[in-house]
Amino acid sequence: MNELYSIGDVARRTGLSVSAIRFYADEGVVTPTGHTEGGFRQYDVHAIARLELVRTLRDLGAGLGDIRRVLAAETSLTDLAVTHLRLVEDQLRQFRARRAVLRTIVRQHTTTEQVSLMHKLVSMSDDDRDRLITEFWNFVTDGLDVHPSYVQALHNRRPDLPEEPTTEQLEAWIELAELVQDEQFRTALRDNLHRTFGTEQGKLMTTPEMTARAERRFTLLQEARAAYEAGVPADSPQARDIAERMAADTAEFSAAMTGKRDLEQARRSMMAFDRHRAAQTRAKLTGPNLLRRYGTLVATINGAPTPDQDWTAAVQEWLAAALRGDTA
């Protein structure tokens, strides 16, 4: 015999309130299995199971119409879950965007106008973000008389915000989007690029040959970094080998630029490296610093390693010590 339970028992079993069970009965979602002689509602285990499903679906945000269709087998539970999963993921993206804006507001003195702008920035579509970066590089490289491949390389340095970005990625996007729309930043970077590449040597630096040389040099520097971070002593044969190859590469790079190869000068220059003086020199190079900040933000957004000048200075000191034959 199918046992029937009172509405109070059903409430305790399902966690629903008595009024909620009555509401679902009145709406025809889950009707009572029967009634007592006094007219009180009663439910069997199948009705209780349906009420438990109703509660779960309601907790997941399903509406009564969707629930009715599931219970009537007019739609599958999987199809309903797929639909609501999309809604939940969209809400999560919105919450991440709001969190990024709120954390930025907490960290800095933000005006009401900036709050509105930041919310707009994190709500941009992929096409809107792409147009913003394209317009920025069009402005910065307008009239720049360099090799076309270099201009294309600059245009290719753009953020790719993932579908489900972290808070850090959203915060980096907010800063980057504000930066590329800042007239002072745009103008300063454009002017510096024009000055830097306005000479014959500057134009030469943008050619594919010199770009390839710069990439090879960076690869060699990464090899030096790996050895340094692995604890290879500066006075070891391995460190000396890397340092000598770096000196030779420096001399070759200089020869390609000036037509004069001087290995000993390259070695002396490396051995005389001074971290403080190098930092001062970098501080004077406005354009490279501006590009570095842009590159750091893009790397954060793209989930790539961010540029770090500290390790560069440490590795250069290690290379200098290796050429001198002493410890770093």
Side-chain angles (χ1 to χ4, degrees):
M1 183 177 180
N2 188 14
E3 186 175 357
L4 298 178
Y5 299 88
S6 69
I7 195 169
D9 287 336
V10 174
R12 284 188 290 274
R13 284 171 175 266
T14 62
L16 291 166
S17 66
V18 169
S19 59
I21 296 171
R22 287 176 179 152
F23 170 77
Y24 292 132
D26 294 341
E27 291 294 321
V29 178
V30 179
T31 58
T33 307
H35 294 79
T36 66
E37 290 182 0
F40 294 104
R41 307 176 204 215
Q42 292 182 307
Y43 295 82
D44 63 10
V45 291
H46 300 293
I48 291 173
R50 289 162 71 86
L51 282 168
E52 289 175 335
L53 176 59
V54 169
R55 181 189 176 187
T56 300
L57 294 177
R58 289 292 281 173
D59 287 344
L60 292 173
L64 288 181
D66 290 330
I67 292 172
R68 284 195 184 96
R69 284 190 287 275
V70 170
L71 294 177
E74 294 174 2
T75 186
S76 72
L77 186 58
T78 299
D79 289 340
L80 179 64
V82 167
T83 299
H84 281 271
L85 180 60
R86 290 197 196 102
L87 293 174
V88 170
E89 288 176 340
D90 184 59
Q91 289 175 332
L92 281 174
R93 282 190 289 271
Q94 293 180 31
F95 277 122
R96 288 192 189 97
R98 292 174 190 171
R99 182 172 60 180
V101 171
L102 291 171
R103 284 186 173 179
T104 304
I105 293 171
V106 168
R107 283 202 325 270
Q108 63 188 39
H109 181 67
T110 307
T111 66
T112 53
E113 293 79 6
Q114 288 173 316
V115 172
S116 177
L117 174 61
M118 284 189 291
H119 189 265
K120 179 181 177 182
L121 293 177
V122 298
S123 303
M124 274 184 166
S125 68
D126 291 341
D127 288 340
D128 289 338
R129 284 193 292 268
D130 193 60
R131 278 192 293 270
L132 181 65
I133 299 301
T134 297
E135 193 278 331
F136 164 72
W137 283 118
N138 284 343
F139 175 87
V140 170
T141 61
D142 183 40
L144 191 62
D145 184 19
V146 296
H147 196 281
S149 63
Y150 184 78
V151 174
Q152 186 60 49
L154 290 176
H155 275 264
N156 289 341
R157 298 173 66 180
R158 56 184 58 226
D160 183 18
L161 195 66
E163 189 172 331
E164 295 187 7
T166 64
T167 300
E168 291 71 22
Q169 288 173 313
L170 280 171
E171 290 175 347
W173 164 248
I174 290 174
E175 182 179 344
L176 180 66
E178 290 182 321
L179 195 65
V180 299
Q181 293 179 92
D182 182 85
E183 199 65 28
Q184 185 176 358
F185 173 81
R186 289 153 56 98
T187 302
L189 181 56
R190 182 189 63 184
D191 292 348
N192 187 271
L193 289 178
H194 279 261
R195 285 195 303 272
T196 301
F197 301 118
T199 64
E200 288 304 314
Q201 277 197 338
K203 293 177 184 177
L204 180 60
M205 282 292 295
T206 70
T207 62
E209 178 191 354
M210 294 306 298
T211 300
R213 284 182 177 275
E215 290 176 353
R216 287 196 296 271
R217 183 171 177 78
F218 182 73
T219 299
L220 186 55
L221 189 61
Q222 289 287 359
E223 181 186 346
R225 178 185 182 179
Y228 167 76
E229 293 181 344
V232 174
D235 58 352
S236 68
Q238 181 182 352
R240 182 60 179 256
D241 173 68
I242 296 173
E244 290 292 356
R245 284 189 284 125
M246 179 64 78
D249 182 81
T250 300
E252 293 294 338
F253 195 91
S254 178
M257 290 292 297
T258 65
K260 181 180 179 181
R261 185 182 186 279
D262 191 335
L263 177 58
E264 286 307 310
Q265 174 57 36
R267 296 179 78 257
R268 286 194 298 271
S269 177
M270 286 179 60
M271 284 189 288
F273 175 78
D274 181 271
R275 183 190 290 246
H276 180 67
R277 188 164 62 245
Q280 289 180 323
T281 301
R282 283 199 306 272
K284 295 177 182 178
L285 299 175
T286 306
N289 284 338
L290 294 175
L291 276 175
R292 188 176 301 121
R293 185 56 188 160
Y294 177 93
T296 298
L297 291 171
V298 169
T300 299
I301 295 167
N302 294 346
T306 56
D308 184 354
Q309 290 303 308
D310 290 337
W311 74 259
T312 305
V315 170
Q316 286 177 311
E317 287 179 336
W318 180 80
L319 289 168
L323 287 176
R324 292 192 301 265
D326 55 28
T327 57

